[in-house]
Amino acid sequence: MFYVKQLEHEIVLQPVHFGPKLKATIVRLLKEEVEGLALANYGYVVNVIEVPEDQIKSGIIEYDSGDVVFTVKYTALLLRPFINEVLDAVVTQCNALGFFAFCGPLRIFVSKHSMPEEMFNGFDGSKDAWISDDKEVVISSGCGVRLRIKGRTVEQGNITAIGTIKDNYLGQIDDGETMDS
């Protein structure tokens, strides 16, 4: 799920940024460019943890533009979903085909075919919710679910996953309503 890894990125700077705070500018631009980005082999960059000053290499001038390219090595916290990993997620949308849930920046779709048998025909369009035959389980927008990742895809800097709640100990874990004490 979450792990720490050392990565490398190139930052392109215009000469107007050169000055006494050059390294701080490089670190700021690095965070702006990579945080929230989905890297195909590594997952989402959740946070840039550390950028050691000795890991900012000397820049190389691009002769046609005058910009300078700096290669920066940094340590990042990454989110990568693994196949068969069990996650807790929040449901954001229900429709007749299944429901969508988010676990941080990861969007997960659970098809009606990946729900328990007692929920297969349980979509209620008026409530936008999946309801079990015995009316004990109601999965609607805002509720928490525990699910298992069955597949994932990476497309254009975005990672999406397919999940299932058709297994022991999976399904609704929170109804999404806050309790008043």
Side-chain angles (χ1 to χ4, degrees):
M1 174 102 193
F2 291 101
Y3 64 101
V4 176
K5 182 154 180 71
Q6 187 166 8
L7 300 171
E8 194 173 285
H9 186 72
E10 289 185 347
I11 299 290
V12 179
L13 278 181
Q14 296 176 341
V16 71
H17 296 291
F18 298 165
K21 296 184 180 181
L22 177 63
K23 291 192 178 192
T25 302
I26 292 172
V27 171
R28 180 180 53 82
L29 288 173
L30 174 72
K31 287 183 177 188
E32 288 175 6
E33 287 183 17
V34 300
E35 285 183 353
L37 189 66
L39 305 174
N41 297 329
Y42 303 116
Y44 282 104
V45 178
V46 176
N47 189 14
V48 174
I49 297 172
E50 180 184 27
V51 184
E53 285 196 21
D54 62 334
Q55 295 297 320
I56 300 174
K57 305 282 193 240
S58 297
I60 299 172
I61 299 171
E62 291 183 341
Y63 293 105
D64 55 342
S65 67
D67 294 345
V68 177
V69 179
F70 292 91
T71 302
V72 182
K73 287 186 179 179
Y74 62 97
T75 305
L77 176 66
L78 301 163
L79 164 68
R80 181 175 180 206
F82 292 99
I83 305 298
N84 290 323
E85 181 176 9
V86 176
L87 302 173
D88 291 348
V90 177
V91 176
T92 58
Q93 179 186 4
C94 293
N95 61 38
L97 299 176
F99 64 86
F100 289 94
F102 276 89
C103 178
L106 177 65
R107 186 175 188 197
I108 306 161
F109 177 71
V110 177
S111 166
K112 71 178 187 177
H113 300 287
S114 296
M115 294 183 200
E117 297 295 325
E118 64 267 12
M119 294 186 78
F120 185 76
N121 293 317
F123 180 69
D124 183 351
S126 63
K127 295 180 183 177
D128 279 339
W130 282 91
I131 303 171
S132 64
D133 292 341
D134 60 3
K135 310 276 191 256
E136 288 288 317
V137 178
V138 178
I139 296 177
S140 62
S141 183
C143 79
V145 292
R146 180 161 294 140
L147 50 84
R148 182 181 311 278
I149 301 293
K150 298 308 283 180
R152 67 172 189 268
T153 60
V154 180
E155 23 182 72
Q156 293 183 345
N158 192 21
I159 300 175
T160 56
I162 302 296
T164 182
I165 59 170
K166 194 176 189 178
D167 206 352
N168 291 337
Y169 309 108
L170 301 179
Q172 181 185 12
I173 56 173
D174 178 23
D175 62 6
E177 296 178 14
T178 58
M179 292 196 291
D180 296 329
S181 300

